[in-house]
Amino acid sequence: NNLAGNGTFVTELISLCSISNLKESYVYKGTDYTLEDGLTNVAVSTVILGKTFTLDANATVSYSDNRNVGTATISWTNDADGNDVLSGQFEITPKTLTISNIKAENKVYDGNTATTVSYTADVFSGDVVTFGTAATFDNKNVGTDKTVNFDYTKSGADANNYKFASATGTAKANITARELTLSNFAASNKVYDG
């Protein structure tokens, strides 16, 4: 497919040449995107300012911003003439996380709805992503299998490379009765009354 939209050739080349199989966007994969990831069949032969410019296996390939979410650039330089450069851009989009092992924490009644939640997600090894744990019960009262609501949140150096399929989640947990601690016992005196 020819580049279009976000994958656009530099202006002076847009009507002169094409690159096959350079898709407009790729989903984040935790490593650099290179020709081995499907940017294939890039042989180009075109005329630029009267000179024939041919890209083949001898061309020098370079990349920039080709790992994280955002606009990446790939460039080919003709070894026969280092002044001839063909470049294009493509987008790297966030990976949608698969969430599993959602668990809300049970608690003893404390008069409020706050609790915590934990879950796992398919973050690539080595990436730094931390997930939020704040959650709330639907009410403060004692009960079993009570609904817990939470917002999916993330932070960390690689957090922007991921997205959630949904903004919110639910889980189930229990609030158990609080055991009362009794103190200051006192009995009242009285006058004999039979």
Side-chain angles (χ1 to χ4, degrees):
N1 296 329
N2 297 340
L3 290 175
N6 288 327
T8 304
F9 291 125
V10 287
T11 304
E12 63 270 22
L13 301 179
I14 193 167
S15 62
L16 299 177
C17 51
S18 63
I19 301 175
S20 299
N21 294 342
L22 180 54
K23 295 190 298 184
E24 291 184 22
S25 65
Y26 291 82
V27 175
Y28 174 75
K29 66 185 184 71
T31 57
D32 292 348
Y33 269 104
T34 66
L35 291 175
E36 286 70 31
D37 295 299
L39 308 178
T40 58
N41 299 326
V42 296
V44 173
S45 178
T46 188
V47 176
I48 302 174
L49 299 178
K51 293 189 295 183
T52 300
F53 182 76
T54 302
L55 288 175
D56 54 27
N58 295 319
T60 300
V61 182
S62 60
Y63 311 88
S64 63
D65 302 318
N66 58 320
R67 181 186 189 277
N68 295 316
V69 166
T71 301
T73 300
I74 181 170
S75 301
W76 294 265
T77 302
N78 188 357
D79 284 349
D81 184 347
N83 293 323
D84 288 338
V85 178
L86 177 65
S87 65
Q89 293 182 324
F90 58 93
E91 294 297 315
I92 300 176
T93 60
K95 168 184 166 60
T96 301
L97 291 168
T98 299
I99 304 298
S100 57
N101 301 318
I102 301 173
K103 180 183 178 181
E105 291 298 316
N106 299 324
K107 73 171 187 174
V108 176
Y109 176 80
D110 60 3
N112 65 61
T113 61
T115 188
T116 59
V117 68
S118 62
Y119 48 86
T120 58
D122 55 339
V123 171
F124 291 115
S125 177
D127 277 3
V128 178
V129 182
T130 301
F131 299 109
T133 61
T136 57
F137 282 96
D138 55 353
N139 60 59
K140 67 177 184 177
N141 299 320
V142 168
T144 58
D145 287 330
K146 294 173 65 67
T147 298
V148 174
N149 300 297
F150 62 95
D151 294 330
Y152 285 111
T153 62
K154 53 186 171 59
S155 60
D158 299 296
N160 288 339
N161 292 318
Y162 299 91
K163 66 179 181 179
F164 295 107
S166 175
T168 61
T170 61
K172 296 289 186 179
N174 305 327
I175 298 178
T176 55
R178 187 176 192 84
E179 184 175 307
L180 295 174
T181 300
L182 303 179
S183 60
N184 300 318
F185 293 97
S188 296
N189 298 325
K190 75 170 187 176
V191 176
Y192 175 78
D193 59 6

